Amino acid sequence: MMDMWFCILLLVSVLNIGGALSDSTYLIGLGSYDITGPAADVNMMGYANAEQIASGVHFRLKARTFIVAEPGGNRVVFVNLDACMASQLVTIKVHERLKSRYGNMYNEKNVAISGIHTHSGPGGYLQYVVYIVTSLGFVRQSFDAIVDGIEQSIIEAHENLRPGNIFVNNGELLDASINRSPSAYLNNPATERSHYKYDVDKEMTLLKFVDEKWGAVGSFNWFATHGTSMSRTNSLISGDNKGAAARFMEDWAEQEGLPKGSDSIYHGAVVTGPRHSRFYRRVSIIIPQPHENAYEFEQLASSFPASGGRHLASSKSVSQRVRDRQDGKPKFVSAFCQSNCGDVSPNVLGAFCIDTGLPCDFNHSTCNGKNELCYGRGPGYPDEFESTRIIGDRQFVKAVELFDTASELVKGKVDYRQTYLDFSKLEVALTDGDQKVVKTCPAAMGFAFAAGTTDGPGMFDFKQGDDKGNAFWKLVRNILKTPSQEQIACQQPKPILLDTGDMNVPYDWAPSILPVQIIRIGQVVILCVPGEFTTMAGRRLRDAVRTVLTSDGSGEFGSNVQIVISGLSNTYSQYVTTFEEYQIQRYEGASTLYGPHTLSGYIQEFKKLASALLNGKSFGSDLQPPDLLDKQISLLPPVVMDATPAGVKFGDTSADVPENSTFRPGDMATATFWSACPRNDLLTKGTFSLVEFLDSSTWVPAYDDDDFSLRFKWSRPSQLSSYSHATLEWRIPETATAGVYRLRHFGASKSLLGKISHFTGTSRAFVVL
């Protein structure tokens, strides 16, 4: 009798599992990989500030990827980069590698690569002159780190492909963004503005990925806010607020034990209920309360002086990453993607004059006529690290809320359409008024471009809202390239400062051939745009695509269609404003390269893509963007050699943690080491800095340079010196366990003959109570 019941239960279980398997909508796979790049000597991409040179790591940068496939059908790849933007040259080389590895499975049609727009990552990886001037040209290390990281993240996602489901959710996040160009926004028609409650998009849209075996394995979300919480003077590599949010959510997932792995097929599909407080990757409750053991800790710490520098056999010895342990299960991947952020700032307190403390001029963002004095303030003002943490935390908290409550199943086709367009001469049929045909223009940047924004002001006497220019700077401009009368008329009312579309010495200064792409995953439609759309520009594009998808009566798309804009995708072509915003010529309008009808061109072409997607028709172009790799010029000098004073070894401390130190959460523990240039070895998937915890008699990694709380700062005593120092600063988190800790530095030195040698060194031990 028992055998019969066992067989019945077994049969029911098999049937249930079979039913669950058949309910899986897609194959899903996620992956991520380090793309941090050179942490020294390289100009950062974003602010175009020649003095903003990388000199350490706030936290590491990553490429994060998801792949979604219909079993036996179409598949799409989306890559989110902790980088300022995607690069055409990077995209071209990634496609070449994917073709070599996978044939035609992954290509320019179904692979999208998007940047989060941090302004604190190494530059020099784009191929057009105007974007690499401040980095002294092309930087091969930056380029290779990103290309390698994207490829490896896609490989990992591909190898993780398993049956699973996707859920979509969205909601408002009200306190992480403001409009930094409200005077331009107000030039949009009042009737149009009346349809919206806010002058920036406040909605976050999130996809939750649920593996059949492991449960929830990751999430990607889109929300518009600039990556400018870190200022134009910051020199530490950082993913800014979106990179921080990703770290917070991935650590939260680890704290929750995600992915869980369970006999239940859909375990973790919708998670609710109380949250735990312990980070599993941190040692914790095995330690008694600090007030009972303070003396014992202090005695123990005093027995561990600084180790002194020592040689390491290879770079493999430095791979003591805290997050490397997988325990046989996939890692949780969370990406905070960029959307239509063109006029959106994370500096939510507003813009103020640094000399008077008064609000900046509304129309021009100046202080007594000077743009250099007008700065936006983040919520942690005057601490930019705190502002980054707060804006990142606000996005993280909203993402967890959406993740926990996501219940709408994504279902339907996986599909895509992509084409290339020549935006230097695109014919656009205007549908308003007299329905005339106009053209976009060769790329050009206006005078207000040089004024910068309230997130990062420019220099000299430029100001936002300048639709005239001045004679002196026009004379300077003409030395480089005098714009034609046709170009001047085409770009009106923009006064041209740089006629980049017609500048090609030593090679092209700006792009003309741009990719546009639509990715469909069921009712979720992702519009991949190669630039920064302003709030209203993005709204118009989304509405136009929605109208095409829902108005044909086929029922293919309903009212539940979710349309998101993925900004800074596949290449970079600066800003896209509405026609009305363009007339005001603030920074965003001056940076709309292809003239006043740029947005109309995008809307026209995306409507064609959407129609082709809806009707199952192919769509493409014979155009191809140029591959300018062989033309790149690099003026960044190499590392000549590293050295230390006589009697000093690499890895020795030059300023140690004070003897018998006891710290509490919120305190800063600091040590400085004799070091070498981080460009000698990027320590990809490794770490320059580590906080170690004494567990019984073993030192175990607790925090590394991918943690928000630990900063690695590198410096030379003078620009041409072969000496250098590495300072590790650990702001002790509230979650840190009481016990004995020490700081460890890893690095690689270069001899005069070019030999690379790895080293390490530790501080003396100290107590955390």
Side-chain angles (χ1 to χ4, degrees), residues 2 38 61 139 160 200 242 297 365 444 550 628 708 743 753:
M2 291 295 293
L61 310 180
V139 180
N160 282 338
V200 295
K242 286 189 176 291
F297 288 157
S365 296
T550 60
L628 302 177
F708 198 87
L743 305 177
L753 298 178

Side-chain angles (χ1 to χ4, degrees), residues 458-694:
M459 300 173 65
F460 306 115
D461 54 349
F462 297 102
K463 64 180 180 181
Q464 296 194 67
D466 183 359
D467 59 1
K468 298 291 189 294
N470 67 59
F472 172 77
W473 288 110
K474 287 180 180 178
L475 181 63
V476 174
R477 169 201 69 191
N478 292 344
I479 295 173
L480 291 172
K481 177 69 173 65
T482 303
S484 67
Q485 288 304 311
E486 182 182 6
Q487 172 75 322
I488 291 172
C490 187
Q491 293 279 353
Q492 283 290 339
K494 178 199 294 179
I496 297 173
L497 177 64
L498 289 173
D499 190 19
T500 52
D502 290 324
M503 298 167 66
N504 52 22
V505 177
Y507 45 88
D508 293 349
W509 280 55
S512 59
I513 298 174
L514 303 178
V516 291
Q517 182 182 38
I518 292 182
I519 285 177
R520 177 192 178 181
I521 308 169
Q523 69 269 35
V524 178
V525 177
I526 304 171
L527 310 181
C528 301
V529 298
E532 304 174 58
F533 278 55
T534 62
T535 298
M536 195 64 84
R539 288 168 175 171
R540 291 183 188 178
L541 178 62
R542 287 197 306 263
D543 288 347
V545 171
R546 180 179 288 107
T547 298
V548 171
L549 295 178
T550 60
S551 63
D552 77 322
S554 68
E556 181 74 15
F557 290 93
S559 59
N560 68 332
V561 62
Q562 303 273 352
I563 300 178
V564 297
I565 289 176
S566 175
L568 306 118
S569 292
N570 299 319
T571 191
Y572 184 62
S573 58
Q574 294 178 243
Y575 284 73
V576 180
T577 66
T578 67
F579 179 86
E580 294 83 358
E581 291 164 351
Y582 187 89
Q583 308 307 306
I584 301 301
Q585 280 299 295
R586 283 182 63 91
Y587 175 84
E588 294 81 14
S591 303
T592 297
L593 295 183
Y594 308 104
H597 303 297
T598 301
L599 175 60
S600 296
Y602 275 108
I603 290 175
Q604 171 183 280
E605 299 304 317
F606 266 100
K607 287 170 69 174
K608 294 177 183 177
L609 284 181
S611 179
L613 184 78
L614 184 64
N615 298 318
K617 295 181 179 179
S618 60
F619 197 93
S621 168
D622 293 332
L623 293 173
Q624 286 291 323
D627 179 343
L628 302 177
L629 181 59
D630 292 340
K631 296 186 177 182
Q632 296 301 310
I633 297 171
S634 178
L635 302 177
L636 180 69
V639 178
V640 177
M641 65 171 293
D642 299 285
T644 58
V648 174
K649 302 187 298 295
F650 290 109
D652 283 355
T653 54
S654 63
D656 205 349
V657 177
E659 288 188 71
N660 304 317
S661 291
T662 297
F663 299 98
R664 298 184 182 278
D667 293 343
M668 178 88 79
T670 302
T672 299
F673 300 84
W674 287 98
S675 191
C677 184
R679 291 165 60 197
N680 295 327
D681 187 333
L682 305 183
L683 300 189
T684 300
K685 291 187 71 68
T687 185
F688 292 106
S689 52
L690 196 65
V691 176
E692 295 181 317
F693 175 83
L694 187 62

